[in-house]
Amino acid sequence: MISTPDPWWPTALLALVLLSDAAMSVRPPVFIQQCLEGVRFPRDWWWVLVVVKFLAAVGLVAGLRYEGVAVTTNVAVIAYFLCAAYAHYRARFLKQEFWLNCLGMLALSTAVLFLSHLSTF
């Protein structure tokens, strides 16, 4: 049975991190710009990442109340960062941004899935 996250706080933490990331991405600092340019992501599409991260944060928060929403959103966040990791690999942009930002967020979102959702199965 899919339920709300238990414990709830890892999901809330991931939502806060994604919301912060979305806010930073509105006017991306140098390290985010270098990351997006390094994987050759078109500048005209940078705004999409802000929307995706914001909606992911909203989905995680909504999932604290509504069954199944948080786990679905958490899986989507993992898929997002798997795609980002693949983009880094394909562009051969495996610098610090890849290891800290991309894989760090992939590890965090995967840990949240296991801590808050899979421990109940």
Side-chain angles (χ1 to χ4, degrees):
M1 178 176 165
I2 297 176
S3 64
T4 56
D6 182 32
W8 63 270
W9 63 267
T11 299
L13 174 66
L14 180 58
L16 180 63
V17 169
L18 286 169
L19 187 60
S20 300
D21 191 5
M24 280 193 311
S25 296
V26 170
R27 290 191 180 269
V30 173
F31 75 95
I32 292 177
Q33 289 180 30
Q34 288 173 338
C35 185
L36 295 174
E37 290 167 354
V39 297
R40 297 188 281 284
F41 194 73
R43 187 174 283 266
D44 292 345
W45 285 88
W46 287 11
W47 66 271
V48 173
L49 302 179
V50 175
V51 173
V52 167
K53 292 171 186 177
F54 175 75
L55 291 176
V58 169
L60 290 168
V61 171
L64 296 174
R65 173 147 169 87
Y66 300 103
E67 292 183 359
V69 175
V71 68
T72 303
T73 305
N74 200 153
V75 169
V77 169
I78 291 169
Y80 170 87
F81 285 109
L82 283 171
C83 290
Y86 179 70
H88 278 265
Y89 171 77
R90 241 187 106 149
R92 304 286 189 251
F93 188 71
L94 304 175
K95 297 182 178 183
Q96 180 177 342
E97 294 85 358
F98 169 69
W99 296 100
L100 293 178
N101 303 346
C102 186
L103 292 186
M105 287 298 293
L106 180 58
L108 175 63
S109 55
T110 302
V112 169
L113 181 68
F114 281 98
L115 286 171
S116 292
H117 303 288
L118 296 183
S119 62
T120 60
F121 286 113

